Amino acid sequence: MQEAMINKAKQLLADGTVNRVIGWKKGEFVYDITPAIFETAEELDADFVYNEFTAANVSKYLVKESKKEGKILAFLKPCDTYSLNQLTKEHRVNRDNIYVVGIPGGPKLDAEKIKAKGITGITGIKNENYTLKIETVYGEQTMPFYEAISDKCASCKSKKHVTYDELIGEDGDVLESNRFDMVEKLENMTAQERYDFWRAELSKCIRCNACRNVCPACTCEKCVFDNPESGVENKAASNSFEENMFHIIRAFHVAGRCTDCGECSRVCPQNIPLHLLNRKFIKDINSLYGEYQAGEDTTTKAPLNAYTTDDCEASIVHERGVE
Amino acid sequence: MLRIAIDKIDSLFDAIAEKQTLYIPVDREDGAAEYKKYESGMKMSNSLNTLRSAKDFFFPQTENLVEFKMEGKQIEVKDIREESEDFVIFGVRACDARSFSILDKVYLVDPVDSFYKNRRDHGVVVSMACTRPAETCFCSAFGIDPTAPEGDVSCWNDGSYIYFEANTEKGKAFVDSISSLLEDGDASSLENVKAETKRILSLLPLSNLSTDSFGGDKLNEYFNSEKWAELSESCIGCGTCTFVCPTCQCYDIKDFNTGNGIKRFRCWDSCMYSDFTKMAHGNPRISQLERFRQRFMHKLVYFPANNNGEFGCVGCGRCLSKCPISMNIVKVMKALEVK
Amino acid sequence: MNANDTLIPHIGVVTDIRIDTPDVKTFRVNAINADGTVGGKVFEHMPGQCAMLSIPGVGEAMFSITSSPTNKEFMEFSIKKCGCLTNWLHAMDVGQQITIRGPYGNAFPVETELKGKDLLFIAGGIGLAPLRSVINYVRDNRANYGDVQIVYGSRSMDDLVDYKEIIDEWMTDDGIEVNLTIDREQEGWDGHVGFVPNYVKELNPSLNKTVLICGPPIMIKFTLNGLKELGFTETQVYTTMELRMKCGVGKCGRCNIGNKYVCKDGPVFRFDELGELPDEY
Amino acid sequence: MQVNDNKEFQPLIVAFCCNWCSYAGADLSGTNRLNYPTNVKIIRVPCSCRVNPMFILRAFQRGADGVILCGCHPGDCHYTSGNYFTRRRMTLLFSMLDFLGIERDRTRVEWVSAAEGAKFAATMNEFTEAVKKLGPNRRLEDLRCKKQ
């Protein structure tokens, strides 16, 4: 795959279709891969990488990159194409300046999950028939491939590319995913249990803003949390109210626009399952206002920008589910 | 050397916790370790390091500085500082133990930060030698020996016993206070443990990382490097690296109106944030390039320039595993390095 | 916990507010004494040093102390309205209490390098504020210094800070030459018209003078170039800087230029010192 | 907000009222001499749609035990469609608060027209009672804002 991508990139650079390529650059270890921009064939040969750890969604970089001179080639996984479509819909990117090559997606692996097994000193990871052979300075270790799959891929919603100029490999289908299972499980808990669950999770928050900054839907020129006049500035005391406040508002601001790419949970240094907040909104929107997948197209109105005269009343919240 | 059998460690923790607050690293459900206030029955984590650094104990994420009551044109200042209670942090790794001396160089130099000093005076740091360093470790590059950690008391674990050695007056007093639970024993087995750890250290992928080409005298050379643009291009400007870092010490001071007074508090701040240097008339660091550069220049050049060549990094590796886009100080050093 | 902490401020009382220009006011600040009376200064300082002023709940910011240390009665701050806190300060009345802490930073070397020298002050707009402290210090210790020349420019006649003091006191002093300029022609103004950097070149000051300069960054840049063309060296020229500050004591980590903290190692820099630092201000 | 000396808990209720309907409804209930609890503090807004979710959270932070939002009946919005957006927005917000384990009876949306003074008083009475039963807001409070 990596080979095919590098060749495609070289070809498009050579024939002048694009003048830059956004992809992933290899790091010090097998898993610490950085999104990067490549301008020459030499750079591509030296550093371009695509493997089980290239989980980062590069579509947000296109907000800035697509405003520059010339076309940029972006390799997008299916989930990333939803993000790009959503950005196109919101006029945040100049789609004409982007040449999208769709590539098959995951499942991607999460190095944290491997480390959580106590495996350390990792010098190499190989996938052999869905068993990970992990070379470490303490000797070789193995673990099942599926146990290391990142959360965002474990509940993959779609293998279909919703926008592309070209595909490498075959396009997939929208999947029957289990992504709302955990949301449902929480909904079926008592209010006290839910409160305890979220307090335990959100109290871990260190307010690093990684979830906001990585989010392809968070593209405001000036975020409300960066505005000292708003009274909700990001540098707040770490107390329970501010933690709740930040995460409710963050999720609310992307409600109806979140494509469920899972980046927020992936980057959280404290492993807070932030995607559950987003999925709760998605699930509510689906059940109350009809199925809606943000980023599926570039024309429909977002659910919070629309209404019907016979929408349910807010009291529905009081009438359903567990107290 | 004084030691205690590992299976009796709980009784030691209980004894310490009876007299003062004790913090030990414990495993969380998600596999990460964090410091928790010890309560009977807690098990100490075996993992190499805690997710958050130990700087929280002396430099917490937020703390109240002072309170004001406003009435008409009058302001009343209320000094709300209180004497900190005595506490013990157990199981600090060599990197974090060194980070305290780096923080000291900021907060204990004139004018002394009394909030920090208060906690520093009342905290006993019990460090624990490493036996299973990870691939992200590079403390050796900064002259830290993970088999001989600093701290008020150093500990070693040979698999069956934990050995204690006091390094400071405060440490001696601490060891004396628990001596009834300790026994004197042969420590020769530690030599093998240390030798094995050192062998592992030499195998680590970052074992050859060198700081030779960095230091206070390289200011303009690196500041004007062309590499910054490429290095910073994918930085998303979050504060993860700064907040997990044991030596990042910048803070912001803010006021909170509670409705019945003003609380002035300080909280961690990050040079990666766009408003870090923003003033009424503009911002001297206009793009992520300048902010990104500031962080690494501070650790590798500015800090050594002001502190006799000591670097502002301890090689704990937290930023290596936590950065959302996996950009980190090692990559920066390798890219900038003048071969 | 008896130790004093620099982050815990004192209370000052604003006892006089003078309107200097449409957007600059000068505030006189006195201390509250142990017996409850208002008078005297909150603390002593040297010319060029700064203080952190704050209105709790609004903000805290660094301001240079405009009054001279030789003034034993009160401190003064000339403040231009430009942000959240300064807007608040401009709206307040006499009698308002504010919090104040300091003094912070180094000072102009009035007792060492500047002693016995001929001095040239160059200021633009609100840049006169930190220099006024030095000018009045020099006037009060006249015997210690040589000739004094002041070049001061502003956008218009109305924007000249401390105009009354300049006319009534500085201009009437012996051995002080004051050159005023405004950017554009204006009715009622028969003085020089033009930008400060050009005016300095026209005046062609003698090269044995030590220069103290403060103003907008762009003015400083062009004036420095002009001075160099005239033959001045960087070691002869001092300036005072400002960046965003929170702590005032070199710990919060944001006001650095290279390895120097403006709040602690500055705000006064000689240009050869600044030249060694990266260009990030 | 300790109204009287007996120990019964007196909740603090914040009511965001649309200028064009419920605010006038509150007025009407006053001129009609209808009682509603003094616990209710009314904040007038130009349209129920003006209420940012943050306003509701801030109210809880500053000591509210219940927050109610009153607007024009669907279809009657002075600005044509404001309250339709409010309806979706608040449904999702309340659902999220519920998801986080914050008592769902602390929040409510009610449509009250300018002519419905009686409905306004009844709603406030009923809502205050409901919140009173829940006791003080603990799950979304900010300890710093507690009166000492």
Side-chain angles (χ1 to χ4, degrees):
Chain A
M1 193 67 222
Q2 181 179 319
E3 207 56 27
M5 286 162 74
I6 292 176
N7 288 338
K8 174 57 68 187
K10 280 184 188 166
Q11 179 210 322
L12 290 168
L13 276 175
D15 68 16
T17 312
V18 298
N19 62 7
R20 285 157 302 146
V21 180
I22 185 160
W24 301 266
K25 186 176 179 173
K26 68 176 168 229
E28 291 296 317
F29 320 119
V30 277
Y31 57 78
D32 64 334
I33 286 156
T34 307
I37 290 163
F38 302 84
E39 286 175 9
T40 62
E42 291 71 41
E43 284 172 17
L44 286 162
D45 278 331
D47 290 322
F48 187 95
V49 62
Y50 188 73
N51 62 22
E52 286 92 347
F53 291 99
T54 46
N57 180 349
V58 296
S59 47
K60 190 176 185 180
Y61 293 108
L62 297 171
V63 174
K64 209 165 76 189
E65 289 301 327
S66 70
K67 294 189 177 112
K68 292 183 183 164
E69 199 64 30
K71 247 185 171 182
I72 184 164
L73 162 62
F75 288 110
L76 297 184
K77 307 188 287 290
C79 47
D80 305 347
T81 60
Y82 284 82
S83 305
L84 179 64
N85 242 10
Q86 184 65 24
L87 288 167
T88 311
K89 181 198 272 187
E90 293 170 5
H91 307 289
R92 303 296 289 133
V93 293
N94 180 0
R95 182 66 180 81
D96 296 340
N97 264 348
I98 306 165
Y99 191 89
V100 176
V101 173
I103 47 169
K108 299 293 174 193
L109 301 180
D110 182 354
E112 294 286 311
K113 293 208 163 183
I114 298 171
K115 293 182 190 178
K117 293 264 171 203
I119 298 171
T120 185
I122 300 166
T123 53
I125 300 174
K126 263 186 254 130
N127 174 15
E128 282 177 16
N129 286 325
Y130 293 95
T131 298
L132 292 180
K133 294 247 156 87
I134 302 154
E135 286 164 35
T136 79
V137 290
Y138 303 100
E140 195 184 83
Q141 312 246 15
T142 57
M143 78 180 274
F145 180 86
Y146 69 87
E147 285 182 13
I149 291 178
S150 69
D151 287 330
K152 73 177 208 171
C153 294
S155 51
C156 179
K157 63 179 179 292
S158 171
K159 295 225 175 264
K160 182 174 178 251
H161 294 83
V162 287
T163 178
Y164 58 83
D165 296 299
E166 201 176 321
L167 274 183
I168 296 183
E170 302 239 310
D171 204 2
D173 296 312
V174 177
L175 305 178
E176 275 293 316
S177 84
N178 55 355
R179 60 186 175 134
F180 297 121
D181 288 3
M182 187 60 194
V183 177
E184 211 161 296
K185 197 176 147 197
L186 280 163
E187 284 171 346
N188 289 326
M189 291 179 176
T190 64
Q192 182 66 47
E193 284 168 338
R194 283 198 297 272
Y195 179 74
D196 293 342
F197 173 85
W198 281 111
R199 206 76 289 289
E201 292 296 344
L202 297 183
S203 64
K204 293 192 281 190
C205 176
I206 54 173
R207 285 303 277 273
C208 65
N209 291 307
C211 49
R212 175 195 72 179
N213 290 12
V214 81
C215 177
C218 281
T219 53
C220 289
E221 290 286 325
K222 188 176 183 89
C223 174
V224 64
F225 291 108
D226 280 342
N227 178 5
E229 306 287 321
S230 71
V232 287
E233 238 190 319
N234 58 38
K235 281 170 279 179
S238 50
N239 74 5
S240 63
F241 177 84
E242 294 286 353
E243 285 153 3
N244 285 333
M245 169 93 174
F246 174 77
H247 289 289
I248 294 171
I249 298 300
R250 185 198 65 79
F252 199 91
H253 280 187
V254 297
R257 309 191 300 118
C258 166
T259 64
D260 199 7
C261 74
E263 285 287 273
C264 45
S265 294
R266 181 182 71 82
V267 301
C268 180
Q270 288 281 26
N271 310 326
I272 304 172
L274 295 166
H275 63 282
L276 293 178
L277 296 175
N278 298 337
R279 280 184 188 166
K280 170 65 179 167
F281 279 128
I282 296 172
K283 185 167 179 285
D284 279 347
I285 288 168
N286 282 348
S287 66
L288 300 174
Y289 310 122
E291 290 282 325
Y292 181 83
Q293 172 60 53
E296 202 173 21
D297 58 66
T298 55
T299 48
T300 50
K301 264 195 161 180
L304 280 171
N305 292 350
Y307 64 89
T308 63
T309 49
D310 51 2
D311 278 340
C312 62
E313 293 294 337
S315 57
I316 193 164
V317 176
H318 303 86
E319 287 150 15
R320 59 166 195 195
V322 181
E323 181 60 51
Chain B
M1 207 180 221
L2 288 171
R3 67 182 193 185
I4 188 169
I6 284 182
D7 50 18
K8 288 195 192 134
I9 192 82
D10 292 350
S11 61
L12 176 71
F13 288 158
D14 285 332
I16 302 170
E18 229 169 68
K19 279 180 244 151
Q20 50 204 323
T21 314
L22 169 67
Y23 297 93
I24 62 167
V26 293
D27 283 326
R28 246 170 29 188
E29 244 170 66
D30 60 3
E34 67 180 356
Y35 284 103
K36 278 239 166 86
K37 194 168 165 177
Y38 177 79
E39 282 161 27
S40 211
M42 270 187 189
K43 288 275 163 283
M44 188 162 84
S45 165
N46 283 324
S47 55
L48 178 72
N49 222 335
T50 49
L51 197 156
R52 280 171 82 148
S53 83
K55 76 175 171 189
D56 299 45
F57 291 107
F58 304 117
F59 176 46
Q61 177 147 21
T62 54
E63 75 181 306
N64 291 327
L65 298 176
V66 60
E67 278 176 28
F68 303 100
K69 285 257 184 258
M70 315 271 289
E71 230 179 293
K73 291 178 173 176
Q74 318 269 309
I75 302 173
E76 185 196 332
V77 181
K78 249 167 91 183
D79 189 345
I80 49 166
R81 287 175 297 167
E82 280 173 9
E83 198 76 16
S84 161
E85 54 173 13
D86 286 337
F87 64 93
V88 178
I89 333 169
F90 199 93
V92 178
R93 296 297 182 183
C95 45
D96 283 6
R98 170 68 64 85
S99 78
F100 302 144
S101 69
I102 290 175
L103 293 177
D104 287 351
K105 289 192 172 71
V106 176
Y107 286 119
L108 295 187
V109 296
D110 188 55
V112 171
D113 187 292
S114 66
F115 298 86
Y116 176 85
K117 182 170 188 296
N118 182 15
R119 293 200 195 79
R120 201 79 176 87
D121 288 345
H122 286 87
V124 177
V125 176
V126 182
S127 61
M128 178 68 81
C130 301
T131 51
R132 273 174 77 82
E135 72 277 12
T136 50
C137 291
F138 55 105
C139 59
S140 314
F142 298 100
I144 297 170
D145 181 357
T147 65
E150 296 166 5
D152 296 310
V153 180
S154 307
C155 292
W156 289 266
N157 182 344
D158 71 351
S160 34
Y161 289 94
I162 290 177
Y163 297 82
F164 292 81
E165 190 174 271
N167 304 322
T168 62
E169 286 302 319
K170 212 159 51 172
K172 266 197 200 91
F174 173 74
V175 173
D176 286 344
S177 74
I178 56 168
S179 56
S180 61
L181 291 160
L182 306 179
E183 58 178 35
D184 215 0
D186 176 33
S188 57
S189 65
L190 284 182
E191 291 315 309
N192 290 336
V193 175
K194 285 184 197 171
E196 173 60 13
T197 308
K198 288 206 165 122
R199 187 185 70 82
I200 296 291
L201 283 172
S202 68
L203 297 175
L204 293 178
L206 303 181
S207 61
N208 57 358
L209 188 72
S210 157
T211 57
D212 291 350
S213 36
F214 297 92
D217 52 338
K218 303 281 170 35
L219 205 144
N220 287 313
E221 185 178 332
Y222 286 129
F223 188 89
N224 298 318
S225 167
E226 291 161 3
K227 302 270 175 54
W228 292 114
E230 194 192 330
L231 286 167
S232 65
E233 72 185 359
S234 47
C235 178
I236 60 171
C238 73
T240 306
C241 51
T242 32
F243 288 180
V244 297
C245 178
T247 64
C248 269
Q249 108 292 316
C250 294
Y251 61 78
D252 198 355
I253 297 177
K254 300 192 98 54
D255 288 350
F256 177 76
N257 190 338
T258 64
N260 44 38
I262 310 284
K263 277 185 182 347
R264 180 164 289 175
F265 65 96
R266 74 163 157 205
C267 57
W268 292 351
D269 204 350
S270 172
C271 51
M272 293 290 194
Y273 287 163
S274 55
D275 63 350
F276 187 65
T277 51
K278 196 170 171 213
M279 297 175 280
H281 88 264
N283 195 341
R285 297 191 195 128
I286 44 171
S287 73
Q288 201 56 33
L289 187 152
E290 286 90 11
R291 295 166 208 146
F292 182 91
R293 175 172 63 190
Q294 162 65 18
R295 179 161 196 272
F296 296 104
M297 285 297 282
H298 187 206
K299 301 238 178 275
L300 299 170
V301 179
Y302 305 157
F303 197 86
N306 293 341
N307 294 285
N308 302 323
E310 181 165 7
F311 289 97
C313 174
V314 292
C316 70
R318 286 186 177 90
C319 55
L320 274 67
S321 49
K322 286 300 169 191
C323 174
I325 52 126
S326 297
M327 180 44 73
N328 53 56
I329 193 162
V330 171
K331 288 184 184 174
V332 170
M333 284 168 78
K334 290 198 172 175
L336 288 181
E337 204 171 29
V338 186
K339 295 251 164 60
Chain C
M1 291 297 295
N2 292 321
N4 228 353
D5 196 287
T6 170
L7 297 179
I8 297 174
H10 308 282
I11 299 287
V13 186
V14 176
T15 48
D16 181 54
I17 299 175
R18 189 172 76 228
I19 300 171
D20 276 313
T21 77
D23 58 3
V24 176
K25 284 185 180 182
T26 299
F27 302 90
R28 180 177 298 182
V29 177
N30 280 113
I32 303 177
N33 302 313
D35 59 2
T37 56
V38 173
K41 293 197 275 187
V42 183
F43 46 75
E44 294 296 329
H45 74 283
M46 286 301 283
Q49 283 193 299
C50 302
M52 273 288 206
L53 303 188
S54 148
I55 299 293
V58 180
E60 192 173 36
M62 192 70 107
F63 296 98
S64 57
I65 304 167
T66 325
S67 57
S68 158
T70 47
N71 181 337
K72 298 293 172 199
E73 313 285 310
F74 52 79
M75 282 196 276
E76 276 187 336
F77 297 88
S78 290
I79 294 171
K80 182 171 169 154
K81 191 161 141 179
C82 61
C84 179
L85 177 67
T86 50
N87 269 311
W88 208 101
L89 292 173
H90 269 249
M92 74 186 175
D93 297 322
V94 168
Q96 174 71 47
Q97 298 189 350
I98 59 172
T99 75
I100 175 166
R101 57 191 177 92
Y104 294 126
N106 61 0
F108 285 101
V110 280
E111 287 302 316
T112 50
E113 280 124 77
L114 298 188
K115 229 170 183 171
K117 300 268 168 61
D118 292 341
L119 301 175
L120 168 62
F121 296 91
I122 305 172
I126 188 64
L128 186 68
L131 295 187
R132 181 177 164 235
S133 178
V134 195
I135 294 169
N136 283 332
Y137 186 86
V138 168
R139 287 175 59 230
D140 291 337
N141 298 286
R142 201 62 196 89
N144 291 341
Y145 306 92
D147 286 346
V148 172
Q149 184 181 8
I150 300 164
V151 182
Y152 179 44
S154 216
R155 278 175 307 194
S156 71
M157 211 168 94
D158 307 321
D159 286 301
L160 289 165
V161 178
D162 291 312
Y163 191 47
K164 210 172 145 33
E165 184 173 297
I166 295 171
I167 301 286
D168 294 349
E169 300 185 27
W170 299 359
M171 283 189 165
T172 55
D173 266 22
D174 282 340
I176 297 189
E177 185 192 344
V178 182
N179 307 99
L180 297 178
T181 178
I182 60 173
D183 290 357
R184 246 169 262 113
E185 294 274 3
Q186 189 180 6
E187 213 171 295
W189 178 259
D190 52 4
H192 185 273
V193 174
F195 293 120
V196 170
N198 298 334
Y199 192 30
V200 171
K201 271 203 269 185
E202 282 172 34
L203 289 168
N204 197 8
S206 82
L207 293 181
N208 58 10
K209 287 188 173 167
T210 303
V211 187
L212 289 76
I213 176 170
C214 185
I218 192 77
M219 182 210 96
I220 297 185
K221 196 178 146 209
F222 283 107
T223 310
L224 182 72
N225 288 344
L227 287 170
K228 281 190 194 159
E229 278 171 36
L230 291 174
F232 283 87
T233 59
E234 287 192 336
T235 49
Q236 268 176 288
V237 187
Y238 293 83
T239 189
T240 169
M241 312 281 301
E242 186 171 20
L243 286 172
R244 183 169 185 186
M245 299 170 194
K246 282 287 179 179
C247 68
V249 286
K251 301 188 198 296
C252 79
R254 70 196 64 225
C255 67
N256 68 310
I257 303 171
N259 62 326
K260 298 279 187 236
Y261 288 100
V262 171
C263 65
K264 195 180 78 186
D265 305 308
V268 176
F269 290 98
R270 214 167 59 193
F271 267 101
D272 57 320
E273 296 166 347
L274 271 185
E276 290 166 14
L277 298 174
D279 182 20
E280 193 177 50
Y281 45 84
Chain D
M1 186 65 220
Q2 221 62 44
V3 180
N4 44 25
D5 282 319
N6 68 25
K7 282 197 186 111
E8 196 195 11
F9 163 64
Q10 290 296 334
L12 178 64
I13 308 288
V14 172
F16 291 98
C17 291
C18 164
N19 176 49
W20 304 101
C21 54
S22 7
Y23 194 77
D27 241 2
L28 184 63
S29 83
T31 45
N32 284 351
R33 310 246 163 178
L34 296 167
N35 283 327
Y36 67 90
T38 54
N39 311 44
V40 178
K41 309 291 175 213
I42 294 179
I43 296 175
R44 180 166 66 160
V45 287
C47 175
S48 58
C49 185
R50 172 66 184 90
V51 178
N52 186 320
M54 234 141 35
F55 293 3
I56 292 182
L57 299 180
R58 282 286 162 203
F60 281 118
Q61 178 188 30
R62 302 277 166 186
D65 299 295
V67 179
I68 183 165
L69 173 53
C70 302
C72 306
H73 285 271
D76 293 349
C77 179
H78 184 80
Y79 308 100
T80 318
S81 57
N83 53 2
Y84 287 122
F85 291 109
T86 311
R87 186 158 66 178
R88 282 202 170 188
R89 215 178 275 162
M90 290 304 141
T91 306
L92 290 181
L93 177 70
F94 293 174
S95 178
M96 177 52 71
L97 291 176
D98 180 47
F99 189 61
L100 293 175
I102 289 140
E103 301 93 336
R104 54 177 78 157
D105 291 336
R106 289 197 192 279
T107 46
R108 190 179 293 188
V109 174
E110 207 68 56
W111 310 126
V112 180
S113 80
E116 292 175 324
K119 184 180 178 188
F120 183 85
T123 304
M124 291 304 153
N125 279 310
E126 193 201 325
F127 185 59
T128 308
E129 275 317 303
V131 175
K132 200 179 270 183
K133 255 184 238 143
L134 287 173
N137 160 35
R138 289 273 172 266
R139 292 183 182 169
L140 205 54
E141 73 176 342
D142 191 327
L143 288 174
R144 296 174 297 176
C145 295
K146 270 218 130 130
K147 286 226 158 59
Q148 276 109 10

